[in-house]
Amino acid sequence: MDERIARIEKYNLWGAKTFDFGFKREEYTEKIVDFIGNRLIKVLVGQRRSGKSYILRQVGKQLIDNGVKPENTLFINREFADLDFLRTYKDLDELIKSYKKELKPKGKVYIFIDEVQIIEQWEKVVNSYSQDYSDSYEIFITGSNSKMLSGDLATLLSGRYVSFEVFPYSYSEYLRITGQDKGKQSYMAYMDGGGLPELFMLQKQELKRNYISAIKDTVLLRDIIQRNNIRDPKLLEDIFVFLVNNASNLISISSIVKYFKGQGRRVSYDAISNYIGYIEDTFLIHRCDRYDIKGKDTLSGNAKFYMNDLAYKNYLYPGFGYGFGYLVENLIYLELCRAGFDVYVGVLRNKEVDFVAKKADRVIYIQSTYLLSDESTVEREYSALESIGDNFEKIVVSLDDATLPLRGGIRHLQAWNLKEILR
């Protein structure tokens, strides 16, 4: 057997081997399976350790359960040390040809490539095989950088791929894993922890903290510093800390520059802007731009930033003063993104609406707060929505024990029930 095939055999589903397929994430696998049966490249993107590899294996297993022969699937995970020989697109092409020679699959071949961006010029092989009309292939790839499908690459693959952004576990997935009932107590527990899959295999807080720190260090070092020749690694990490500790706050690049200059740091607007862009590219942080509700246009300047997972706050930087309302807002943002909405911060005259969520013809305006604890809070949250003149959905979301009655067409919703109305 070819040495390269011998190296990857243990990672593949050939024969009667059993694998750990992890927690079944139907919300992703069902969407992906719906797109099977064509030449579109299926692209899973998301931060490291969010569960992309498990989802790929689950899709492969479902194909086999539905009748695809195991030898017609090929799994390549570039992160494994056994595959260090896989450096360029030529190496990838040779590996696929060697696999076909050794296993002699008949019919369509399903190729799964994990962390494909590590392979230099991978797109040449992926594009070639996906469009090969002499043989039949279906390609599934994952990546941990949002720029992997930008610029010239997007042009090369134009119209030939469909992408799925993978997030850490949602609240509903958290309930299934922990066996808890839906409600305030479990939502608070979810908010107090994190949703990265491997966290649930660790019992001690110190182990969880070390794990989250290792992910952060790996992303900053391998995915940003080494790839972009960062001149000031300490500034990069300090910017990440700043964004985590100011998540859900409206901030600008200029305000961040002012903050660091106030600490005696020599920084420039361009450096701060570039470093934030690199962090966004790795999915650790999400930018939420402002949207003029009346003018129906995106506004430049200030924006909000949200964490991809609250674990970065809860385990790494818990000492910074942080209200529960900001955590709730962050979770609502992520839930909207999981549901496929484009999300903005709403601006209407002198008022701010926490979220304008848009998907196709549907628009939802959402105000988020920890508790509607008094009349002034109720008035503040509802008045922002009442100032909007159109008839799209308007919702106030909180963690109150009871829901308030409908007010002028505005619904009050408990945060743990949000997912049901987003379907």
Side-chain angles (χ1 to χ4, degrees):
M1 178 181 288
D2 186 309
E3 180 187 350
R4 293 168 297 184
I5 301 304
R7 286 192 183 189
I8 68 171
E9 182 179 15
K10 63 182 178 182
Y11 304 117
N12 275 271
L13 305 177
W14 314 325
K17 298 190 298 292
T18 59
F19 286 88
D20 176 14
F21 292 98
F23 172 77
K24 185 68 179 291
R25 305 188 72 179
E26 288 97 344
E27 292 183 9
Y28 293 102
T29 56
E30 290 178 3
K31 289 179 184 178
I32 297 167
V33 168
D34 284 343
F35 280 91
I36 287 178
N38 52 62
R39 294 183 180 274
L40 289 175
I41 303 161
K42 287 71 175 173
V43 185
L44 281 66
V45 294
Q47 77 152 81
R48 284 182 180 271
R49 304 293 176 261
S50 58
K52 301 185 297 296
S53 301
Y54 278 102
I55 292 172
L56 276 192
R57 289 201 289 272
Q58 290 167 12
V59 171
K61 182 178 185 302
Q62 188 161 336
L63 285 170
I64 292 171
D65 290 344
N66 291 339
V68 172
K69 294 181 179 179
E71 60 267 26
N72 282 60
T73 63
L74 173 62
F75 283 81
I76 301 169
N77 190 329
R78 181 55 188 85
E79 279 203 302
F80 293 149
D82 286 341
L83 275 69
D84 279 348
F85 67 87
L86 203 56
R87 299 181 182 277
T88 72
Y89 73 97
K90 292 182 179 179
D91 300 326
L92 177 60
D93 185 42
E94 290 174 1
L95 178 62
I96 294 173
K97 289 177 178 175
S98 180
Y99 146 77
K100 291 198 69 178
K101 181 179 179 181
E102 293 281 353
L103 275 82
K104 299 179 174 56
K106 296 181 180 179
K108 180 184 283 190
V109 171
Y110 299 85
I111 302 175
F112 301 81
I113 311 174
D114 226 344
E115 298 299 346
V116 71
Q117 79 278 352
I118 301 175
I119 303 172
E120 183 181 336
Q121 294 184 299
W122 59 268
E123 64 276 6
K124 291 185 177 181
V125 168
V126 168
N127 190 54
S128 175
Y129 277 86
S130 69
Q131 302 305 309
D132 189 335
Y133 286 92
S134 61
D135 288 303
S136 185
Y137 300 92
E138 197 150 351
I139 313 291
F140 304 76
I141 62 177
T142 78
S144 300
N145 192 292
S146 64
K147 287 293 189 288
M148 63 180 284
L149 292 174
S150 65
D152 295 338
L153 180 54
T155 301
L156 178 64
L157 302 181
S158 179
R160 297 171 182 165
Y161 71 90
V162 57
S163 64
F164 308 86
E165 184 170 356
V166 177
F167 291 88
Y169 288 155
S170 66
Y171 171 61
S172 61
E173 289 177 312
Y174 171 82
L175 293 180
R176 288 170 52 205
I177 294 167
T178 62
Q180 297 183 53
D181 295 326
K182 183 170 68 171
K184 184 173 182 177
Q185 183 176 351
S186 59
Y187 194 86
M188 292 286 287
Y190 172 65
M191 190 168 67
D192 194 43
L196 289 167
E198 290 182 35
L199 275 177
F200 294 85
M201 303 177 190
L202 305 173
Q203 301 302 316
K204 295 182 179 180
Q205 291 295 98
E206 188 61 28
L207 292 176
K208 293 183 178 183
R209 185 176 299 108
N210 291 339
Y211 172 68
I212 296 300
S213 181
I215 292 178
K216 181 260 298 180
D217 291 343
T218 299
V219 172
L220 295 185
L221 178 62
R222 290 179 55 184
D223 296 341
I224 299 181
I225 294 173
Q226 293 179 353
R227 185 169 298 161
N228 298 286
N229 297 316
I230 298 298
R231 296 181 179 180
D232 192 344
K234 181 66 166 60
L235 177 61
L236 176 72
E237 181 162 5
D238 288 345
I239 290 172
F240 175 68
V241 175
F242 180 91
L243 293 176
V244 169
N245 284 331
N246 288 276
S248 306
N249 282 323
L250 203 59
I251 56 180
S252 66
I253 304 298
S254 297
S255 67
I256 301 174
V257 171
K258 183 178 180 180
Y259 168 80
F260 283 111
K261 284 187 174 181
Q263 294 185 328
R265 305 279 288 274
R266 295 183 61 183
V267 297
S268 68
Y269 184 98
D270 288 344
I272 296 290
S273 179
N274 289 337
Y275 284 13
I276 290 176
Y278 296 146
I279 296 171
E280 287 182 78
D281 290 344
T282 62
F283 301 96
L284 289 183
I285 293 287
H286 302 273
R287 178 196 301 264
C288 188
D289 290 318
R290 293 182 303 154
Y291 179 82
D292 184 346
I293 294 174
K294 185 176 181 180
K296 302 186 184 305
D297 195 15
T298 304
L299 303 174
S300 59
N302 293 357
K304 287 189 178 184
F305 292 86
Y306 293 98
M307 293 171 276
N308 195 49
D309 193 89
L310 294 186
Y312 297 108
K313 173 64 189 174
N314 295 333
Y315 295 109
L316 298 186
Y317 316 112
F320 189 88
Y322 214 73
F324 283 118
Y326 294 108
L327 298 175
V328 174
E329 185 177 328
N330 204 126
L331 290 183
I332 291 173
Y333 173 83
L334 294 174
E335 196 64 57
L336 290 168
C337 291
R338 286 189 186 94
F341 285 86
D342 295 321
V343 189
Y344 307 90
V345 178
V347 178
L348 186 63
R349 294 183 287 277
N350 63 336
K351 293 184 181 294
E352 177 185 303
V353 176
D354 288 332
F355 298 116
V356 179
K358 306 176 71 175
K359 183 166 67 171
D361 295 330
R362 188 180 183 188
V363 178
I364 309 175
Y365 302 109
I366 296 177
Q367 283 292 86
S368 164
T369 188
Y370 174 45
L371 294 174
L372 295 166
S373 54
D374 51 49
E375 190 60 33
S376 63
T377 304
V378 172
E379 287 303 316
R380 182 185 70 238
E381 302 301 337
Y382 277 80
S383 63
L385 297 177
E386 288 171 337
S387 65
I388 303 173
D390 61 45
N391 294 317
F392 290 117
E393 298 169 74
K394 301 176 180 67
I395 302 170
V396 174
V397 181
S398 75
L399 267 60
D400 288 278
D401 294 317
T403 56
L404 299 182
L406 196 68
R407 169 173 158 173
I410 301 172
R411 294 176 60 186
H412 174 225
L413 197 68
Q414 293 161 317
W416 47 91
N417 293 319
L418 177 61
K419 180 181 177 180
E420 280 66 25
I421 68 103
L422 299 180
R423 293 173 177 170

